[in-house]
Amino acid sequence: MSPILFLLAIDWIQRNTTSDKKSGIQWTMFNQLEDLDFADDIAIVSTTSEHLQEKTNILTNYAKQTGLNVNARKTKVMSINTRNTTPITINDLPVDSVDDFTYLGSIISKDNGTGKDIKARLSKARATFARLHTIWKSNQYGLRTKLRIYNSNVNLSYCMVRKLGVL
């Protein structure tokens, strides 16, 4: 399927899945957040597991109408502040429950706020910065260029982390 047709199909599926009744989380005084979608990543948001199962069933049915399938093994559920232990299912297959997941490069966690996301970003920054070792040792680049690279990578990241209170 062409990427444009796929995006049109996903948009139609999501619009139909969330249009009937509002069962998302309160976003503003008059609006509810029903879903987050980017390319082929979709996050359905609901206040109860019953609503989430209902949306999942609707999503699966609309996907089938377009020739797409929702993969139960790749689908994950994260529940926050709930005691309901009934698993969400897709085509009678239970969906795995997780404590955190990555969405658009950010780690969404139910128990640690932004801590896991910040630590993961710092780890990626350290690995990237370590690859700059050849630049630091090189005589080809001047001190001014090296300081600009350092300031744009290290100081900015450190200031952001300090403001968030992780260090």
Side-chain angles (χ1 to χ4, degrees):
M1 178 181 284
S2 94
I4 292 174
L5 289 177
F6 176 77
L7 292 176
L8 288 172
I10 289 291
D11 187 52
W12 179 81
I13 292 166
Q14 282 298 104
R15 216 173 324 112
N16 286 322
T17 299
T18 59
S19 66
D20 289 345
K21 66 178 189 177
K22 301 299 179 192
S23 58
I25 59 172
Q26 199 66 41
W27 191 249
T28 65
M29 189 170 196
F30 300 108
N31 294 323
Q32 289 190 333
L33 181 64
E34 298 289 338
D35 69 332
L36 303 169
D37 50 324
F38 180 79
D40 63 345
D41 287 335
I42 298 171
I44 299 174
V45 181
S46 290
T47 54
T48 66
S49 61
E50 291 82 17
H51 289 153
L52 185 59
Q53 182 64 63
E54 196 174 301
K55 280 184 180 180
T56 303
N57 293 341
I58 294 168
L59 177 87
T60 303
N61 289 333
Y62 279 115
K64 281 182 185 175
Q65 290 179 23
T66 62
L68 298 173
N69 292 315
V70 179
N71 188 328
R73 289 184 306 222
K74 291 183 180 179
T75 304
K76 308 295 179 211
V77 172
M78 184 172 77
S79 301
I80 301 172
N81 298 332
T82 184
R83 292 188 182 121
N84 190 346
T85 58
T86 306
I88 302 299
T89 61
I90 296 175
N91 299 326
D92 297 324
L93 296 171
V95 175
D96 291 338
S97 183
V98 295
D99 292 334
D100 53 52
F101 67 95
T102 303
Y103 185 76
L104 296 179
S106 295
I107 297 176
I108 313 295
S109 176
K110 76 178 195 178
D111 59 354
N112 198 13
T114 58
K116 285 183 181 179
D117 186 46
I118 291 171
K119 287 178 182 177
R121 288 175 186 260
L122 282 174
S123 176
K124 290 175 186 175
R126 280 188 195 104
T128 302
F129 198 76
R131 283 191 262 149
L132 294 172
H133 183 71
T134 55
I135 291 176
W136 304 141
K137 296 294 181 184
S138 173
N139 292 329
Q140 182 180 2
Y141 304 104
L143 181 61
R144 183 173 181 215
T145 302
K146 292 177 184 180
L147 284 173
R148 288 180 72 193
I149 292 171
Y150 176 82
N151 284 327
S152 67
N153 288 288
V154 177
N155 283 343
L156 181 62
S157 299
Y158 181 72
C159 290
M160 290 175 61
V161 169
R162 295 256 342 225
K163 284 183 181 180
L164 292 172
V166 175
L167 293 178

